Amino acid sequence: MTVTSAELTELAQRSGRTVLDAGRGQPDWIATRPRDALFALGRFAVSDAKHHSPSAQWGVTPPARGIADRLRDAISSDTSPGASFLRASIDLVADDFGIDPDNWIHEISCGVLGDGYPDPNRMLRHVERVVERYFTEVMGVKDAEPGTFELFATEGGAAAMAYVFRSLQENRVIEPGGKVAISTPVFTPYLQIPTLEDFGFEVVALHAAEGGAARSTDHLLEHLSDPAISVFCVINPGNPDARTIPPDDLHRLEELVRGDRPDLLIVADSVYAAFVDGFRGLVATIPRNVICVHSFSKAFGATGLRLGFVAMHRDHRIDQLWSIQDESTAASLAARYSTLGPSERPPSFMSRLVADSREVALHNIAGLATPDQVQMALFALSYLMPHGHDGIAAIHDELTHRERALFDPLGIDPPTGTGSAYYALVDLRAVATSRLGEPAGDRLVGSIDPGDILRRVAAEHGVVVLPGAIFGADPWEARVSLASLPVEAIGQIGRAIVDVVDTFAHR
């Protein structure tokens, strides 16, 4: 039986050691400047709401006219990073996006107050434009016109993922028993959600090549040529395999879609993309076939804020499906989405996705909380500002130092190829061979369960690393979150693994 995260955590907690938890991908950094800006904005918005109210007991929605100047006046003598960020954001949004400063500050002031329903419920208008620009830059989409992509703000990447699967099912894009191809190893829910009783999809696992620069292999493209596979799910850069899909493989997948499989839909999770300089994702090469899921949780240290979105090209391939569905299916779906309003054309998949997120009947009150949308926009702006990439580049440098600190005591090399370095997959077999030589390493591997190594690492050293098997990786691989602990602690994890391998070898 595969060792579980809960079991390893319990063993580590009972070890009597300081627990080093490299299991969950919780980053140990926090983007402070855009958070400081949110609180500065909030203080101004509350003050402005009170100032314009006829009552001492409550405030009113601040008027739009002149609000940008009122904000400038309110923070003119404030030297805090948040205030300077807000001042810079007014000019950036006006100059780069052509958005009137009053309209921008009014939207985010009302948004941070949370005094109205999200309107539009999919995403606030100016916030969407800002986050779309961030998205296209991170994804390597060149020269995209504003509005090329529609975004739906969600309660983190996990909610985005769940909403997408739900709407694919509801709209008969994948029928019960239909095949979903998933690039493995992969974040565990991607293996679990499709097989739940509500969905009942057949998962076709396409295992990545190990160790080298290329994640995909010839058999991946061969499988995706099968018309029975309607959806391909991939995390790029990966989790737990932190590598990106190399340009040559992106090109081969693009050729497949433009040739034999124009109907193939790709759900691409891109949460780690910001860590890779010059990243180019699938949405940059075959945008009309990709449903992209993204989150601010990792790059900005915001896992508790649950800020994510779904992004789709306005002219998406999936919206061509409605014209080829049989009469019975088309009638059923027309009835399901009839409350979205009269239209000459069937509602888009994005419109259905928003509606499905609130069981359709409550679609008019769908949408992410507006203060959360404002924080999302401020995160995006922090990336788009001059030198905005520097902070994330510094984090990536730190992650590569941590990767080296892990692998040096193990005596093995990290995987080659471009990647986020957010996670590391450690081949315990290779560690044993490196420590003991090939014959002795083979004998050790043949005599023990890899889960026993991880149990002992937890019980004797207080270290939690997860078995690769739960991600669909080789059972002898272990996933280490390099984002969760400093260099010194990551080095301790490497030494703990070595100590346990040596103990097993000499027992």
Side-chain angles (χ1 to χ4, degrees), residues 415-429:
T416 58
T418 303
S420 69
Y422 197 96
Y423 301 106
L425 278 177
V426 175
D427 185 339
L428 299 174
R429 263 183 312 223

Side-chain angles (χ1 to χ4, degrees), residues 169 176 192-201:
Q169 178 210 34
Q192 297 170 336
I193 289 176
T195 59
L196 294 175
E197 184 178 354
D198 284 353
F199 297 99
F201 305 147

Side-chain angles (χ1 to χ4, degrees), residues 255-490:
E255 287 186 326
L256 175 69
V257 168
R258 297 193 187 283
D260 295 338
R261 290 303 315 275
D263 59 328
L264 180 66
L265 299 175
I266 299 173
V267 178
D269 183 332
S270 61
V271 64
Y272 304 99
F275 296 106
V276 180
D277 186 39
F279 177 79
R280 193 159 187 259
L282 289 161
V283 76
T285 59
I286 42 175
R288 290 175 175 82
N289 289 70
V290 177
I291 301 171
C292 199
V293 172
H294 194 78
S295 167
F296 290 88
S297 62
K298 303 302 193 295
F300 297 91
T303 52
L305 281 172
R306 317 309 300 145
L307 302 180
F309 59 86
V310 180
M312 295 178 62
H313 197 282
R314 283 188 177 274
D315 181 21
H316 202 278
R317 176 76 63 177
I318 199 170
D319 291 324
Q320 298 175 11
L321 296 178
W322 320 138
S323 63
I324 60 173
Q325 287 179 324
D326 61 68
E327 279 189 37
S328 174
T329 299
S332 174
L333 292 176
R336 175 178 177 83
Y337 298 108
S338 61
T339 57
L340 300 188
S343 175
E344 294 181 5
R345 302 177 60 187
S348 69
F349 184 77
M350 180 62 90
S351 297
R352 300 174 191 219
L353 186 68
V354 176
D356 289 335
S357 74
R358 295 298 183 270
E359 301 299 332
V360 182
L362 299 172
H363 69 87
N364 60 314
I365 50 173
L368 183 67
T370 57
D372 294 336
Q373 293 195 44
V374 173
Q375 181 67 90
M376 191 184 297
L378 296 177
F379 282 150
L381 283 173
S382 73
Y383 185 86
L384 296 171
M385 284 183 177
H387 308 293
H389 297 201
D390 293 354
I392 294 177
I395 290 170
H396 187 262
D397 288 345
E398 171 67 15
L399 290 172
T400 57
H401 289 313
R402 296 179 188 186
E403 183 180 61
R404 191 74 267 165
L406 174 68
F407 280 91
D408 278 350
L410 296 175
I412 61 175
D413 293 324
T416 58
T418 303
S420 69
Y422 197 96
Y423 301 106
L425 278 177
V426 175
D427 185 339
L428 299 174
R429 263 183 312 223
V431 174
T433 301
S434 172
R435 299 292 298 170
L436 309 172
E438 193 164 340
D442 288 346
R443 284 195 298 273
L444 178 64
V445 167
S447 64
I448 63 173
D449 181 334
D452 289 339
I453 296 178
L454 302 186
R455 290 185 182 95
R456 202 149 178 170
V457 166
E460 295 181 2
H461 296 269
V463 167
V464 179
V465 297
L466 296 185
I470 67 175
F471 301 96
D474 187 287
W476 278 91
E477 290 183 310
R479 191 198 77 167
V480 180
S481 171
L482 299 174
S484 303
L485 297 164
V487 167
E488 298 80 8
I490 294 293

